[in-house]
Amino acid sequence: MAFHSQKRLVRKYYQALDTSEINTAADTVSAVSQFCSAELLWRGFHPFNEIRGADAVENQFWGPLKSSLTGLQHRIDIFFAGNNIYPETGGVWICSMGHLMGLFDKTWLGIRPTGKLAFLRFAAFHRIENEKIVETAMYFDIPHFMMQAGLQPFPPQTGQHLVQPGPATHDGLLYEEHDPKEGQKTLTLIDQMARDLGQWGSGLPLEAELRRTWHEDMLWWGPEGIGATYTIERYAKQHAGPFRASFSERSKTNHICRIGEGNYGAFFGWPNFVATPTGGFMGMPATGKPGAFRVIDLYRREGEKLKENWIFIDLLHFWKGQGVDILARTTGIAQP
């Protein structure tokens, strides 16, 4: 399938959200209701969490964000589609990734405005039925947004966080039809990688395990608080190794959607897995309390192995479940 109509729908939705900024609330409501089902199920990072209904999504998320980021626009780096491999949540899904960009002119979530350009890094999945978006998972890096406003939500991270670029190959916008065999090849490789990742016990040294599915010069674009890292050796040292050492009792992986097209693939869960911090994590002490990880992962395959990975983790939700309200602690304003 080419997924032309579904891709066109999501692109028009983004365009309507951007141009509705002639900026009345009614325009934004119209943009959401025009393209989304009235019964839309929307999942977002803390403090938004799960929202039901197109009007509620506009009132609770898009309206406040657009009033804070003057001239908000989508800058998309990755865009592709696929049939979900999980039949219980099946159908056609569109995945996109990039930044929401605007001038940070009004307070958002207690974060004080800078009057300067700001980027909210995001990834989104949209399920399409009957020419409407009926389900969305939209994950966004609020801690990185906080850093741009001069706040420091976390201790120093093991990797390095930047305004993250799109694919090195500049071919992430899959607006046209692609060979379905290539998408299946990507999905098969992601499945092998996910099985290795989920076991934490392949019997191989960590770097040897990673070399089964990753290029030696892989790029892992992690969230603020963890950061990005480059090459298998540094990824093992700066994230994968410390992460595995920090947690025990990792649950099985539970994804809602996994799709692939061409050299790109992605998945998300709600949550993806649960694990117990027993060795300290992100510079904070272990609690021994199970914590849920809401994650979107996007991948670029190059040849027979994975080359780039973009990761969105709801660290605000994870830490609030551990008894630490990072957003309230950093801004001084508690969210519902």
Side-chain angles (χ1 to χ4, degrees), residues 10-11 13-15 17-18 42-45 48 61-62 65 69 72-80 94-102 108 118-126 133 136-145 148 161-167 172-173 175 221-224 266-268 294-299 309-314:
V10 173
R11 293 178 70 188
Y13 175 48
Y14 287 173
Q15 183 181 30
L17 283 169
D18 291 354
W42 188 95
R43 298 180 177 97
F45 277 2
F48 299 97
F61 179 73
W62 284 113
L65 181 63
L69 284 179
L72 180 145
Q73 63 174 256
H74 290 73
R75 295 183 62 87
I76 306 298
D77 296 307
I78 295 176
F79 188 97
F80 65 97
I94 307 293
C95 179
S96 61
M97 187 206 81
H99 295 82
L100 297 175
M101 184 194 81
W108 185 61
F119 289 81
L120 180 63
R121 175 176 170 257
F122 84 96
F125 278 77
H126 303 289
I133 298 169
T136 291
M138 185 167 179
Y139 294 3
F140 31 84
D141 196 338
I142 295 173
H144 180 241
F145 189 88
Q148 295 170 63
H161 195 78
L162 310 165
V163 173
Q164 294 188 355
L173 302 177
Y175 295 146
W221 301 105
E224 182 64 56
F267 54 66
F268 81 90
R294 301 167 170 174
V295 184
I296 280 180
D297 266 86
L298 298 94
Y299 299 89
N309 182 198
W310 297 262
I311 304 90
F312 296 76
I313 305 174
D314 195 349

Side-chain angles (χ1 to χ4, degrees), residues 80-82 84 89-95 125-127 135 257 259 268:
F80 65 97
N84 190 2
T89 50
V92 176
W93 292 72
I94 307 293
C95 179
F125 278 77
H126 303 289
R127 180 165 66 89
E135 188 171 349
C257 181
I259 59 173
F268 81 90

Side-chain angles (χ1 to χ4, degrees), residues 106-120:
K106 293 182 181 179
T107 298
W108 185 61
L109 301 178
I111 306 166
R112 294 181 179 178
T114 62
K116 300 177 182 179
L117 190 66
F119 289 81
L120 180 63

